[in-house]
Amino acid sequence: EAQVTQNPRYLITVTGKKLTVTCSQNMNHEYMSWYRQDPGLGLRQIYYSMNVEVTDKGDVPEGYKVSRKEKRNFPLILESPSPNQTSLYFCASRGSGEHYNEQFFGPGTRLTVL
Amino acid sequence: LAKTTQPISMDSYEGQEVNITCSHNNIATNDYITWYQQFPSQGPRFIIQGYKTKVTNEVASLFIPADRKSSTLSLPRVSLSDTAVYYCLVGVRLTGGGNKLTFGTGTQLKVEL
């Protein structure tokens, strides 16, 4: 089944403790991205990657890092999480088909930073 | 990127047709109009995309007037399971294949019996 997976789905952590949220897609998509969703603010793009070893900032990249060493994986790294990073995070990928605005989203990771 | 404006919420009843209009006055020549659906605690799901006139698929229709400054998502005969947030996006493929989509706060559609 074609899908985007994220792990963990839920995470509670404390300020300053480094964490990584993994994202993997099995559709051989070149493009992947990370979003965070907060009440009243909609989804905001954090980082995106057009291909292996190619990443770029989205609208809210501060406090986050990403890497793209393999085509299928695009982990989101929080080196020193803070409470304002408490949010619902989505990973997405997109292929090169006709609907190039069609992104496939993962199930989400709900992060709480205490 | 072109800014979009859509109603915050809409209510409907099962079996009715629902039309959600999105305004995008500053749409650029290369921009496509895309709609997503999101259920609570799930990732958004692509519904439909169009450039001009009318596009129809098994889920919805998208009407785009000639000036492209607005678009209307039409959901025929909605059911309770169509209760969700609907996002209108205007985006373009960036040079090199990148893609920057900006989601607004969307339209919360509530369908009742």
Side-chain angles (χ1 to χ4, degrees):
Chain A
E1 179 190 356
Q3 60 182 347
V4 177
T5 58
Q6 297 177 225
N7 282 292
R9 294 290 313 280
Y10 303 90
L11 178 60
I12 300 175
T13 189
V14 295
T15 298
K17 185 177 181 180
K18 180 180 178 180
L19 67 92
T20 298
V21 183
T22 64
C23 173
S24 182
Q25 50 91 7
N26 62 2
M27 295 170 279
N28 201 36
H29 286 168
E30 293 182 345
Y31 178 89
M32 298 183 74
S33 62
W34 276 102
Y35 295 85
R36 61 177 289 174
Q37 185 169 33
D38 303 289
L41 296 176
L43 283 95
R44 294 177 292 170
Q45 191 177 53
I46 303 171
Y47 269 95
Y48 65 92
S49 169
M50 292 189 286
N51 213 326
V52 175
E53 303 292 359
V54 181
T55 63
D56 206 349
K57 297 177 181 179
D59 295 320
V60 288
E62 295 76 22
Y64 304 94
K65 286 176 58 177
V66 293
S67 69
R68 187 88 182 276
K69 294 183 171 56
E70 303 167 285
K71 196 172 187 178
R72 63 183 292 129
N73 297 322
F74 189 43
L76 179 69
I77 303 156
L78 284 72
E79 294 271 3
S80 182
S82 62
N84 64 13
Q85 292 178 298
T86 292
S87 187
L88 179 58
Y89 291 87
F90 291 103
C91 179
S93 72
R94 176 181 61 78
S96 56
E98 177 183 351
H99 296 132
Y100 60 75
N101 280 338
E102 180 178 6
Q103 294 194 34
F104 295 85
F105 283 79
T109 295
R110 187 167 294 280
L111 172 66
T112 301
V113 183
L114 302 174
Chain B
L1 291 174
K3 177 180 167 56
T4 60
T5 302
Q6 52 184 121
I8 294 174
S9 64
M10 295 182 69
D11 294 327
S12 185
Y13 293 96
E14 275 202 319
Q16 290 190 333
E17 177 184 77
V18 171
N19 296 308
I20 306 174
T21 297
C22 178
S23 172
H24 28 79
N25 291 320
N26 296 322
I27 189 168
T29 302
N30 294 334
D31 284 346
Y32 275 67
I33 300 153
T34 311
W35 286 80
Y36 280 78
Q37 174 193 56
Q38 185 180 27
F39 298 112
S41 298
Q42 294 186 26
R45 182 175 73 102
F46 173 90
I47 300 176
I48 198 166
Q49 176 178 294
Y51 184 79
K52 61 180 179 180
T53 63
K54 175 183 175 182
V55 179
T56 297
N57 61 22
E58 64 278 4
V59 176
S61 294
L62 178 60
F63 298 91
I64 305 168
D67 66 6
R68 304 198 329 120
K69 294 183 182 300
S70 67
S71 60
T72 299
L73 175 73
S74 181
L75 304 172
R77 297 180 298 282
V78 295
S79 64
L80 293 175
S81 62
D82 292 315
T83 294
V85 178
Y86 293 82
Y87 296 95
C88 165
L89 294 86
V90 174
V92 62
R93 189 197 296 269
L94 299 174
T95 300
N99 178 280
K100 190 174 179 68
L101 291 179
T102 299
F103 286 79
T105 51
T107 297
Q108 172 67 63
L109 172 65
K110 182 179 180 182
V111 180
E112 299 175 292
L113 288 172

